[in-house]
């Protein structure tokens, strides 16, 4: 099929490359000329396992091209994906200006019976707005649909090749069939529903997962009050098939470009439609308070942060990405700077781009922990959890904060660290 992908951010590049790798003729469009240039040269502007290879391969075999011309991208396209950013507006709701601008710009070039698919995370009702905007600019017949994205950073290629499900929001039979045909090689779990349901499903999915994390963080805090071990509690609840053992890692709170934004957007949407007393408000608030709360509690245990040498290991918001947006490390470093600690950061991929007072990023984990009074293992990068901390133990009392409960407490204690964790009694 002939496909146009508008927006070459994270989702746009991954989606374009995957469809191209399945033999479709894909044109990626971005208004940023520099992005078009570097993508056309096979350069991915962020780290995502497997993506660079896939991009180079699909460019080389001619299935994928990039342009900044709407005319070029849209004129032949049977299916057009809108995958532009939807940042939060001042009132907390999704700002749809880029989605609407894309709709307006593509309209004059639409081919007869083209399908315009909104893949960006948008509130219910957006597909109708998109259709209205396009209709003002063209007489050509077209349909709209909503196909939300569920891929995760760090495993985006794998998630797109083997999605747990494909949700197609459309009320038009032919559109549903066309999109099913496109997605069938990727998944046999294709669910067709109303566009509004598809859009709600996206927000509901992310908000549920964020709520689950907030819930286990609170259970971990309670475990600390009574000597219970949250990891044992997870084992005790997880065998119930309604609950499951996965996605139950307590820590410094959820981060990234999606959960914080989507939870607060759904909260703002709820308020806007008259449901002010909503769970999402509280989840967002608890997550924002999570790092300062933990850091204060840990500070009491270590005798205060002032003048301590602190190694912060893991600056990205999760392993296998260099993305630091809303990463727990950003709140941790900010807190430590206010407390006048000396901070040494390390990450296998991410670069610290925040305030550098009392902060320096080290090239290796060894250097970051070289003088540490306190080591904070923030996230579970393999390079961090497989590191042998016995060889860097100094001859002074040192605290080891296991921010993800990834280490064996007995081993760390045997190496003479004072072990602190999240809810392990
Ligand atoms: C999330 C969703 O998982 C995807 O399905 C969705 O498509 C994506 O948002 C999006 O809307 O684009 P992502 O942000 O890449 O994906 O990362 P996750 O692996 O879900 O992690 C999100 C945050 O939750 C991270 O900070 C992670 O460390 C944290 N987390 C995750 C926990 O604190 N505990 C857990 O048990 C799991």
């Amino acid at each position: 099929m002939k496909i146009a992908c508008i927006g070459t951010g994270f989702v746009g590049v991954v989606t374009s490359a995957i469809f191209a790798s399945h033999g479709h003729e894909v044109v990626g469009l971005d208004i940023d000329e520099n992005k078009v240039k570097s993508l056309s040269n096979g350069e991915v502007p962020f780290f995502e396992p497997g993506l660079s290879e896939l991009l180079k391969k699909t460019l080389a075999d001619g299935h994928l091209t990039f342009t900044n011309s709407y005319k070029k991208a849209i004129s032949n396209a049977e299916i057009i994906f809108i995958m532009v950013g939807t940042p939060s507006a001042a009132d907390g709701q999704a700002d749809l200006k880029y989605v609407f601008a894309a709709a307006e710009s593509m309209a004059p070039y639409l081919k007869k019976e083209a399908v315009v698919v909104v893949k960006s995370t948008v509130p219910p009702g957006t597909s109708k707005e998109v259709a209205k905007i396009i209709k003002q600019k063209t007489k050509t017949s077209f349909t709209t649909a909503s196909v939300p994205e569920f891929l995760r950073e760090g495993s985006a290629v794998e998630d797109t090749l083997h999605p747990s499900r494909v949700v197609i929001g459309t009320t038009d039979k032919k559109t549903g069939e066309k999109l099913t045909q496109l997605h069938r090689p990727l998944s046999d779990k294709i669910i067709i529903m109303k566009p509004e349901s598809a859009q709600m499903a996206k927000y509901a999915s992310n908000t549920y997962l964020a709520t689950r994390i907030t819930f286990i963080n609170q259970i971990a805090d309670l475990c600390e009050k009574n000597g219970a071990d949250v990891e044992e509690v997870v084992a005790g609840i997880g065998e119930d098939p309604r609950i499951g053992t996965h996605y139950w890692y307590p820590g410094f709170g959820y981060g990234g470009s999606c959960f914080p934004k989507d939870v607060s957007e759904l909260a703002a949407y709820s308020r806007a439609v008259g449901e002010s007393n909503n769970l999402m408000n509280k989840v967002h608030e608890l997550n924002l308070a999570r790092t300062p709360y933990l850091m204060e509690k840990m500070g009491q245990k270590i005798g205060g942060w002032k003048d301590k040498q602190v190694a912060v290991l893991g600056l990205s918001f999760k392993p296998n990405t260099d993305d630091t947006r809303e990463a727990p490390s950003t709140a941790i470093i900010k807190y430590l700077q206010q407390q006048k600690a000396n901070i040494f950061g390390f990450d296998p991929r991410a670069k610290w781009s925040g305030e550098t007072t009392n902060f320096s990023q080290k090239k290796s984990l060894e250097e970051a922990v070289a003088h540490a009074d306190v080591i904070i293992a923030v996230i579970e990068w393999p390079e961090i959890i497989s590191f042998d901390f016995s060889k860097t133990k100094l001859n002074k009392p040192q605290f080891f904060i296991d921010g993800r409960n990834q280490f064996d407490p007995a081993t760390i204690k045997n190496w003479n660290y004072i072990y602190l964790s999240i809810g392990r009694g």
Side-chain angles (χ1 to χ4, degrees):
M1 284 186 199
K2 292 185 167 54
I3 299 171
C5 292
I6 305 183
T8 60
F10 195 83
V11 172
V13 177
V14 175
T15 309
S16 309
I18 297 283
F19 282 136
S21 74
H22 277 72
H24 298 290
E25 206 176 293
V26 184
V27 183
L29 181 140
D30 206 293
I31 48 174
D32 182 337
E33 214 169 307
N34 290 329
K35 261 185 164 183
V36 170
K37 251 190 215 152
S38 53
L39 285 166
S40 304
N41 288 331
E43 292 156 22
V44 183
F46 45 81
F47 171 68
E48 181 61 38
L51 184 57
S52 177
E53 296 80 346
L54 198 65
L55 181 72
K56 286 189 181 111
K57 187 184 164 294
T58 48
L59 284 168
D61 64 23
H63 286 295
L64 180 58
T65 52
F66 291 95
T67 179
N68 58 4
S69 153
Y70 268 91
K71 189 173 179 198
K72 248 194 202 160
I74 305 298
S75 305
N76 292 317
E78 297 157 75
I79 301 179
I80 299 142
F81 285 98
I82 301 182
M83 296 181 281
V84 295
T86 52
S88 297
D91 66 354
Q93 294 204 69
D95 184 342
L96 300 174
K97 66 175 179 237
Y98 300 120
V99 174
F100 294 156
E104 204 175 325
S105 306
M106 76 171 76
Y109 309 111
L110 273 188
K111 190 179 148 147
K112 197 169 164 230
E113 293 188 357
V115 177
V116 179
V117 183
V118 181
K119 211 169 186 37
S120 305
T121 301
V122 293
T126 304
S127 307
K128 282 188 188 134
E129 294 294 317
V130 165
K132 240 194 250 167
I133 291 171
I134 297 176
K135 270 184 198 150
Q136 282 165 8
K137 300 254 163 178
T138 181
K139 296 256 176 299
T140 310
S141 60
F142 68 95
T143 56
T144 58
S146 176
V147 179
E149 183 53 67
F150 298 105
L151 64 78
R152 293 160 300 172
E153 288 189 33
S155 54
V157 171
E158 202 42 39
D159 287 353
T160 312
L161 282 172
H162 308 288
S164 53
R165 76 290 198 194
V166 174
V167 168
I168 298 176
T170 179
T171 45
D172 182 71
K173 194 161 174 274
K174 238 170 120 186
T175 302
E177 283 166 4
K178 207 172 202 177
L179 291 172
T180 299
Q181 193 193 339
L182 175 67
H183 289 93
R184 182 62 79 205
L186 303 176
S187 174
D188 48 19
K189 206 164 257 174
I190 292 181
I191 315 163
I192 299 187
M193 58 183 74
K194 289 191 251 181
E196 292 77 11
S197 308
Q199 288 145 357
M200 275 305 286
K202 170 67 190 183
Y203 276 115
S205 173
N206 274 4
T207 304
Y208 169 73
L209 293 169
T211 305
R212 188 174 161 109
I213 296 164
T214 306
F215 172 76
I216 203 63
N217 284 341
Q218 296 219 310
I219 295 295
D221 293 345
L222 294 179
C223 289
E224 290 194 1
K225 303 275 182 194
N226 53 37
D229 182 332
V230 68
E231 300 305 322
E232 293 177 354
V233 174
V234 166
I237 62 176
E239 292 310 321
D240 183 329
R242 292 171 300 176
I243 296 176
T245 49
H246 192 53
Y247 219 78
W248 276 133
Y249 307 109
F252 281 92
Y254 57 79
S257 62
C258 305
F259 284 1
K261 180 177 95 66
D262 291 354
V263 173
S264 62
E265 276 179 12
L266 192 59
Y269 173 79
S270 307
R271 292 193 298 272
V273 296
E275 299 292 344
S276 302
N277 193 11
N278 65 72
L279 173 70
M280 290 69 80
N281 279 333
K282 194 67 195 168
V283 170
H284 180 58
E285 199 182 297
L286 285 168
N287 194 60
L288 282 180
R290 179 77 188 149
T291 294
Y293 164 77
L294 278 185
M295 292 301 282
E296 196 184 324
K297 196 159 74 167
M298 301 285 186
Q300 284 161 10
K301 292 184 182 166
I302 65 157
W305 293 104
K306 188 164 186 299
D307 295 331
K308 291 269 186 339
Q309 310 281 322
V310 186
V312 177
L313 309 180
L315 303 175
S316 57
F317 84 97
K318 64 182 228 179
N320 296 318
T321 173
D322 56 4
D323 193 344
T324 58
R325 284 176 289 178
E326 309 282 333
S329 67
T330 56
I332 291 174
I333 292 167
K334 189 171 162 211
Y335 184 92
L336 290 171
Q337 286 169 327
Q338 283 162 356
Q339 299 294 314
K340 306 210 174 342
N342 298 308
I343 313 145
F344 302 94
F346 167 73
D347 192 281
R349 290 276 174 180
K351 292 213 168 30
W352 175 251
S353 56
E355 168 65 50
T356 53
T357 311
N358 288 358
F359 175 89
S360 66
Q361 178 161 356
K362 299 294 177 188
K363 286 210 172 66
S364 70
L365 200 156
E366 282 90 337
E367 284 174 88
V369 300
H371 306 286
D373 299 303
V374 188
I375 294 169
I376 311 179
V378 186
I379 55 159
E380 65 278 26
W381 271 102
E383 287 84 341
I384 297 171
I385 60 174
S386 65
F387 186 78
D388 178 3
F389 285 91
S390 68
K391 67 179 190 195
T392 50
K393 179 72 186 78
L394 304 173
N395 194 17
K396 65 174 178 177
Q398 282 178 291
F399 293 91
F400 191 104
I401 299 177
D402 184 358
R404 273 304 212 192
N405 294 350
Q406 292 288 315
F407 295 85
D408 172 32
T411 307
I412 301 288
K413 283 177 198 164
N414 274 343
W415 293 338
N416 271 333
Y417 288 100
I418 304 160
Y419 178 80
L420 301 172
S421 65
I422 313 286
R424 288 173 120 178

